[in-house]
């Protein structure tokens, strides 16, 4: 592999291994603030989750995403996706969509919402830097990233709901 090819590969691996700790930091913010936020906004959000249920749900999603990162780092497929596809779908796709969702919630409530601080300070910059690298190095097209982002916006809700269902079963 040429020097530039090794650079690209090591940079992709860096983006892959950064995901689990950055996602963990984001969800720690959510874990500690989600239950009080939901209680305060019962009039708008007719949904309740305890801190423990949210922590378990997050843990399930984090474990699955981290297994995917481990597989991608080892240059193996995960859920049928090649490492670059997995990174492209996970970061500029699902995580960027999630972060923008937090910002939109902040604009709606005109007040703090769980996860908005780490979305602005960590997830959005990480997603844009990752997307920029992938595009500049010809790993993915802008059209493909927009597609992943739109899919990410749609699938994050059902994935979170499924994780919450499992967590409520586990916690009970």
């Amino acid at each position: 592999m040429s020097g530039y090819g090794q650079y690209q590969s090591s940079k992709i691996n860096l983006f892959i291994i950064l995901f689990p700790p950055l996602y963990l930091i984001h969800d720690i913010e959510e874990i500690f603030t989600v239950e009080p936020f939901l209680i305060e906004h019962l009039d708008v959000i007719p949904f309740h989750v305890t801190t423990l249920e949210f922590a378990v749900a997050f843990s399930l999603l984090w474990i699955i995403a981290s297994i995917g990162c481990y597989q991608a780092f080892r240059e193996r497929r995960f859920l049928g996706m090649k490492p670059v596809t997995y990174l492209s779908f996970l970061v500029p796709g699902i995580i960027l969509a999630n972060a923008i969702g937090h910002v939109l919630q902040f604009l709606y409530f005109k007040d703090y919402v769980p996860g908005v601080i780490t979305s602005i300070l960590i997830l959005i910059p990480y997603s844009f830097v990752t997307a920029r690298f992938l595009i500049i190095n010809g790993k993915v097209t802008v059209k493909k990233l927009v597609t992943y982002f739109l899919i990410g916006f749609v699938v994050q809700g059902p994935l979170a709901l499924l994780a919450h269902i499992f967590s409520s079963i586990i916690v009970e």
Side-chain angles (χ1 to χ4, degrees):
M1 184 180 287
S2 71
Y4 185 69
Q6 287 175 326
Y7 166 78
Q8 283 185 319
S9 180
S10 65
K11 191 87 168 193
I12 289 169
N13 281 340
L14 176 63
F15 289 124
I16 290 169
I17 62 171
L18 279 174
F19 178 81
L22 295 179
Y23 183 41
L24 178 65
I25 292 166
H26 171 69
D27 274 309
I28 287 172
E29 177 191 2
E30 288 184 303
I31 287 167
F32 287 114
T33 59
V34 72
E35 188 173 13
F37 175 82
L38 290 174
I39 290 169
E40 182 180 334
H41 294 92
L42 272 173
D43 57 327
V44 180
I45 307 169
F47 175 78
H48 184 266
V49 63
T50 67
T51 300
L52 179 59
E53 288 170 337
F54 189 88
V56 170
F58 156 72
S59 297
L60 293 171
L61 293 173
W62 186 83
I63 288 168
I64 292 166
S66 295
I67 289 169
C69 289
Y70 175 74
Q71 289 295 92
F73 185 81
R74 295 180 63 220
E75 298 184 16
R76 302 223 167 126
R77 289 179 176 260
F78 184 70
L79 301 175
M81 292 181 266
K82 292 179 182 177
V84 169
T85 304
Y86 180 73
L87 176 65
S88 302
F89 181 65
L90 184 66
V91 178
I94 292 176
I95 293 308
L96 181 58
N98 178 267
I100 290 174
H102 287 294
V103 172
L104 293 174
Q105 292 167 4
F106 171 75
L107 294 173
Y108 174 80
F109 286 104
K110 295 178 182 68
D111 197 4
Y112 173 82
V113 294
V116 73
I117 294 170
T118 52
S119 289
I120 293 168
L121 297 178
I122 296 173
L123 297 186
I124 292 173
Y126 167 61
S127 296
F128 277 109
V129 168
T130 302
R132 183 177 183 273
F133 174 83
L134 292 168
I135 291 166
I136 286 173
N137 288 284
K139 300 297 181 184
V140 69
T141 63
V142 172
K143 182 179 177 182
K144 186 71 100 176
L145 281 181
V146 169
T147 301
Y148 290 150
F149 174 77
L150 294 173
I151 293 169
F153 227 94
V154 171
V155 300
Q156 68 175 318
L159 286 175
L161 180 60
L162 190 60
H164 285 298
I165 290 168
F166 279 119
S167 74
S168 64
I169 292 168
I170 292 169
V171 169
E172 284 185 12

